[in-house]
Amino acid sequence: DVESRGLGDVYKRQVSAYTAASRIEYFFSQPMSAYAVTMSNYVGQNYGAGKYQRIKTGVRQCTVLMLVTAIIGGLLLNIFGKYFASVLIEDVSSKVFEYATQYLSIVGCSLWAFGIICVYRSSVQGMGEAGIPTINAIIESSCRVIWTIWLVKYGNFHQLCFANPVT
């Protein structure tokens, strides 16, 4: 991934922490991706059938379910993040472990935002609208590149922790 390549030579400990913590993050973000796939299909079927009120209800209900999931996941990452990190990082007294738990804490606080993007972007895609999600993806990718270039020159690990939440 772009962030790892840009920082690899300069911050080896941070890259190790980022890599380990990212694996844990992906586990907790999978429900959000599942909601995205669900809503794309659900909205597509109901949009084709002309059941617009059902779409609104479904999006609202999925958003509530996603928020509950994200809050629970975020709490788990913040409360038990160090235990999750200890599965992948042997030396719990190391800087790598410290960085990984810092990353998990920040990401845990932003799961809800990622979930909202997943639900709403996929719902729009389900209606056959490709323009808005495509623009969103371009902006997201551009922000990642700009963020990474800036981090390599001026940033620190704490700022790297915000790469996923910001983009």
Side-chain angles (χ1 to χ4, degrees):
D1 116 312
V2 174
E3 289 111 354
S4 297
R5 275 186 273 143
L7 298 173
D9 294 340
V10 181
Y11 303 113
K12 291 186 194 287
R13 283 189 204 116
Q14 289 92 340
V15 171
S16 295
Y18 176 83
T19 301
S22 291
R23 293 173 195 265
I24 298 165
E25 173 196 5
Y26 295 144
F27 178 80
F28 281 89
S29 66
Q30 285 309 300
M32 309 311 150
S33 298
Y35 294 137
V37 171
T38 300
M39 290 314 294
S40 179
N41 291 321
Y42 176 85
V43 170
Q45 290 171 351
N46 286 290
Y47 187 76
K51 296 182 178 181
Y52 307 118
Q53 186 57 44
R54 191 167 177 195
I55 292 171
K56 287 180 189 177
T57 302
V59 169
R60 255 188 250 119
Q61 289 174 342
C62 187
T63 300
V64 169
L65 183 61
M66 176 280 305
L67 286 172
V68 170
T69 304
I71 290 168
I72 291 169
L75 286 171
L76 288 172
L77 283 173
N78 277 281
I79 295 169
F80 300 109
K82 62 185 173 190
Y83 300 108
F84 300 138
S86 70
V87 172
L88 300 174
I89 301 167
E90 290 179 16
D91 185 4
V92 295
S93 64
S94 70
K95 271 300 215 193
V96 173
F97 182 78
E98 180 184 326
Y99 289 138
T101 55
Q102 177 184 4
Y103 179 85
L104 291 173
S105 177
I106 291 169
V107 167
C109 292
S110 67
L111 274 178
W112 66 271
F114 175 64
I116 286 174
I117 290 170
C118 286
V119 169
Y120 286 96
R121 181 172 44 193
S122 296
S123 295
V124 171
Q125 284 175 318
M127 291 187 282
E129 175 60 51
I132 294 171
T134 301
I135 291 169
N136 178 273
I138 291 168
I139 291 170
E140 180 181 337
S141 297
S142 299
C143 287
R144 284 183 185 279
V145 170
I146 292 166
W147 190 269
T148 302
I149 290 169
W150 183 85
L151 277 172
V152 168
K153 190 159 184 136
Y154 305 108
N156 58 41
F157 185 77
H158 184 76
Q159 293 159 336
L160 171 66
C161 294
F162 287 94
N164 283 343
V166 167
T167 57

